[in-house]
Amino acid sequence: MRSSTLTLGAATGAALLAAAVLPATASASASAPVREGSVSAAALLAKVTSCSQISNGKYRTDDETSASIPVCGKNGAVFWKADMDIDCDGQRTAKCSEDTDPWYQDDTAFHQSDGKPLRADSLPYVVVPSSSSLWNYGSAGIKGGGVVAVIYQNKVEYAVVGDTGPTKIIGEASYATAKALGIDPDPENGGTDSGVTYILFKNSKVSPIENHSAAVTLGDELAQAFLRDN
């Protein structure tokens, strides 16, 4: 990631990224919106145009930025709009290690079903701020393995809650999440400074956490419910 105050973790699962699904009416052109599941980015974003703040303050996106990002509440979910720093912690791979990431750590907050840390270069996952007086993710119904819809430039990628980070910084996801969304996944210089929406579905959990296809299936169901309930 680009912040020197690094989060615990990167992610992976045995499951490889599922191919993004084109809408049934779209052709496979460069301009066609790409998404996983049946719910469009536009439909999800239409439900998060205003914020009912549930955090006891706001987060920074990086060490050097001001605190400007609230955690917002909706029926069945919480969300925030931020940047994306790249988490490459966890299992060592050719893409994620001390050689590729100056802040690399060999563990993640949540582990695969075999007990190993997650693998950031193949499992789409999101980092949540560690619980603090600012906001306690567990008290909000968010847990390790919970489903997250990550939206960027008309694309929807389903991920899981895979790691925890600094208590005052928000906006981070795994190498695999960034790559799927067309964001530079380089852990040192990649990411994007803005434009990413994270919708975390309350009381959800993918088991095993490393099963990305299960996250997509459950995420699509939860996204449809989110549209109905908000």
Side-chain angles (χ1 to χ4, degrees), residues 195-213:
V196 185
T197 299
Y198 303 81
I199 302 174
L200 293 76
F201 298 108
K202 295 179 181 178
N203 302 312
S204 63
K205 188 171 184 178
V206 175
S207 183
I209 191 173
E210 65 268 23
N211 188 336
H212 179 61
S213 62

Side-chain angles (χ1 to χ4, degrees), residues 2 84-86 152 174-175 178-179 181-192:
R2 290 170 288 140
M84 183 184 288
D85 291 337
I86 308 303
Y152 179 72
S174 68
Y175 183 108
K179 184 176 180 181
L181 290 168
I183 296 169
D184 183 354
D186 181 80
E188 183 173 7
N189 300 308
T192 183

